[in-house]
Amino acid sequence: MAASEIFFGPFKVTTQIFYKTKLSMAIVNIKPILPGHVLVCPIRAVARYKDMTGEEIADHALTVQKVANVIESVYGTTGATIAIQDGGSAGQSVPHVHTHIIPRKLNDFPSIDDVYARLEGPDGNVGRFLEIQRQRKAVEEQKKDFVVESMNRPPRTMEEMEAETKLLAAELEKETGSKL
């Protein structure tokens, strides 16, 4: 892993990166909607898709294609929801462009489009969850009481995310021939 820290918006994700190019990175998700739900982001912290360079967009798209192929293979799925929520009004919870890759099987949700409601609801609002966690740590350091709002899905541990990172990095290395 690179010595320098890498961020997804304000959140350090250095150990959650399982694939990286010169301009893009793929990271595991702290609160996946379905197993294998990952994110592809530009390395440069850019909030909106319209602000990415042409080179970043091309690299990002090729990275999404490569990662989606491997994710479907690893998780034994037959499709993927590939989605970008571009800006807060579109449901983007972290101000850093990111593409959700959610491996899908037939009938994994009651309705095919239920995945979008999950992305926009409390389960999908990872930015809010991480901000609450940061606030909680700050308050705990000050030895004050603080009530954290309940979120429907519990977050995964760092150990769980790092285990998935290793698995996916190995699979992408097989696919691409390049090591992270």
Side-chain angles (χ1 to χ4, degrees), residues 118-135:
R118 293 278 301 271
L119 278 173
E120 291 184 25
D123 282 353
N125 194 337
V126 173
R128 178 71 180 129
F129 168 78
L130 292 172
E131 182 57 33
I132 289 168
Q133 293 297 89
R134 186 170 28 179
Q135 289 172 4

Side-chain angles (χ1 to χ4, degrees), residues 154-174:
R156 298 192 300 168
T157 65
M158 188 58 73
E159 291 79 19
E160 290 170 319
M161 291 187 295
E162 288 174 352
E164 184 180 37
T165 297
K166 287 177 185 171
L167 168 73
L168 295 176
E171 290 300 317
L172 271 146
E173 183 179 347
K174 284 187 222 172

Side-chain angles (χ1 to χ4, degrees), residues 1 13 15 49 60 92 118 150 152 165:
M1 190 59 61
V13 294
T15 63
Y49 190 82
H60 184 92
Q92 182 186 40
R118 293 278 301 271
S150 172
N152 297 338
T165 297

Side-chain angles (χ1 to χ4, degrees), residues 15-35:
T15 63
Q16 296 155 305
I17 298 170
F18 63 89
Y19 183 70
K20 189 170 132 185
T21 68
K22 182 176 120 188
L23 300 173
S24 300
M25 63 181 166
I27 60 175
V28 298
N29 197 329
I30 192 168
K31 291 178 73 178
I33 290 173
L34 291 171

Side-chain angles (χ1 to χ4, degrees), residues 132-142 146:
I132 289 168
Q133 293 297 89
R134 186 170 28 179
Q135 289 172 4
R136 183 179 193 184
K137 284 180 185 176
V139 169
E140 285 173 358
E141 288 171 11
Q142 297 172 11
F146 186 74

Side-chain angles (χ1 to χ4, degrees), residues 44-126:
R44 181 171 70 97
V46 56
R48 298 286 310 277
Y49 190 82
K50 68 182 182 176
D51 298 324
M52 292 171 67
T53 67
E55 188 179 8
E56 285 173 323
I57 289 169
D59 186 79
H60 184 92
L62 291 171
T63 301
V64 167
Q65 181 184 45
K66 193 172 292 183
V67 169
N69 183 47
V70 169
I71 292 295
E72 280 190 42
S73 175
V74 168
Y75 289 91
T77 58
T78 55
T81 294
I82 298 174
I84 297 174
Q85 296 164 296
D86 192 27
S89 59
Q92 182 186 40
S93 61
V94 175
H96 188 147
V97 172
H98 55 285
T99 300
H100 294 265
I101 301 174
I102 306 168
R104 303 290 303 273
K105 293 180 180 176
L106 194 58
N107 300 319
D108 54 9
F109 283 108
S111 166
I112 290 173
D113 289 337
D114 284 350
V115 69
Y116 298 109
R118 293 278 301 271
L119 278 173
E120 291 184 25
D123 282 353
N125 194 337
V126 173

